[in-house]
Amino acid sequence: AQKITQTQPGMFVQEKEAVTLDCTYDTSDPSYGLFWYKQPSSGEMIFLIYQGSYDQQNATEGRYSLNFQKARKSANLVISASQLGDSAMYFCAMRTASKLTFGTGTRLQVTL
Amino acid sequence: EAGVAQSPRYKIIEKRQSVAFWCNPISGHATLYWYQQILGQGPKLLIQFQNNGVVDDSQLPKDRFSAERLKGVDSTLKIQPAKLEDSAVYLCASSSGLNHKETQYFGPGTRLLVL
């Protein structure tokens, strides 16, 4: 069985600061992909970043980076230089051959 | 490139009524997914299509929910009859294939309220 755990229901960060959103996962499949999505209040799920289980380097996409620690089964999202528009729900998800499983999400609020 | 399209964006119905949602995936994407997202939770997969065949419908409440993708492109999800607990956002997503590396791209969702 696959499981994604996001232990932070809500986070606050000041504008221009960096923030880390936690995600741990559990699977017995050797091949899997880890994804982060952003969901603003409008409801659309926006793809942010992907990390493959065999990737040696941590993924980066602009201000987003994924801190992948395979032995600890964690895939934390780091957002650098936070902006007011980053305020949203953030979901960690894991995909194996069978399906994509989501965590419960973390609500990020960026303050002035 | 156009994204995943969904309609309607909002729907309010009374319990025991029926409702249908439509999804048009990204052009060329063979795999299409329907998710249900209840307020405060992550999306939950209802059904997954590869072209016009069902890959996984294990979490679809088949007594009231049905979905089809007849020509391997557009898809419709139907609820009949609706219950109060069906109030949720219904998200459609598509990807190039089934591989674990394939990113799923989501549409804007349909917000359903059952009264």
Side-chain angles (χ1 to χ4, degrees):
Chain A
Q2 296 153 202
K3 189 175 181 182
I4 291 280
T5 302
Q6 294 181 255
T7 57
Q8 305 154 314
M11 291 280 288
F12 285 90
V13 64
Q14 273 197 318
E15 197 180 19
K16 300 176 187 174
E17 297 292 311
V19 63
T20 298
L21 306 183
D22 295 340
C23 173
T24 57
Y25 61 92
D26 191 23
T27 181
S28 55
D29 286 345
S31 299
Y32 52 89
L34 296 158
F35 299 81
W36 277 91
Y37 287 86
K38 171 184 178 183
Q39 188 175 43
S41 56
S42 59
E44 186 172 358
M45 297 286 283
I46 301 167
F47 165 69
L48 296 178
I49 195 166
Y50 161 81
Q51 179 85 41
S53 57
Y54 295 117
D55 293 344
Q56 297 296 315
Q57 304 257 14
N58 284 345
T60 60
E61 288 286 348
R63 295 188 297 112
Y64 304 108
S65 60
L66 200 152
N67 184 0
F68 180 46
Q69 298 189 42
K70 195 170 182 177
R72 293 186 177 184
K73 293 190 174 181
S74 74
N76 299 339
L77 177 70
V78 180
I79 304 174
S80 62
S82 297
Q83 301 172 356
L84 295 177
D86 294 335
S87 294
M89 283 291 289
Y90 288 81
F91 289 94
C92 180
M94 176 175 62
R95 181 165 190 180
T96 61
S98 55
K99 62 182 176 184
L100 185 66
T101 303
F102 285 86
T104 52
T106 296
R107 181 170 296 282
L108 177 67
Q109 186 67 47
V110 181
T111 61
L112 292 170
Chain B
E1 180 181 280
V4 178
Q6 288 187 249
S7 68
R9 292 295 311 276
Y10 305 92
K11 192 74 177 178
I12 301 174
I13 62 172
E14 295 189 346
K15 60 183 179 183
R16 291 187 291 272
Q17 286 187 321
S18 63
V19 65
F21 312 129
W22 173 82
C23 173
N24 183 248
I26 291 173
S27 178
H29 278 192
T31 314
L32 185 147
Y33 315 79
W34 283 101
Y35 289 86
Q36 180 193 58
Q37 186 178 20
I38 292 172
L39 189 64
Q41 299 181 17
K44 181 187 83 172
L45 179 70
L46 291 175
I47 189 167
Q48 179 177 326
F49 292 94
Q50 177 71 4
N51 296 309
N52 60 352
V54 175
V55 175
D56 182 359
D57 64 356
S58 57
Q59 297 194 83
L60 186 74
K62 298 180 185 66
D63 58 333
R64 298 183 300 105
F65 286 65
S66 65
E68 60 184 13
R69 194 185 183 199
L70 292 176
K71 296 183 179 179
V73 180
D74 294 6
S75 177
T76 55
L77 176 70
K78 296 178 182 177
I79 308 175
Q80 181 178 11
K83 292 185 175 182
L84 297 178
E85 58 261 36
D86 298 332
S87 294
V89 177
Y90 290 84
L91 294 162
C92 180
S94 70
S95 66
S96 300
L98 293 169
N99 188 285
H100 69 272
K101 297 181 181 181
E102 299 288 349
T103 298
Q104 293 185 23
Y105 296 94
F106 286 78
T110 296
R111 291 177 188 262
L112 174 67
L113 179 60
V114 182
L115 301 175

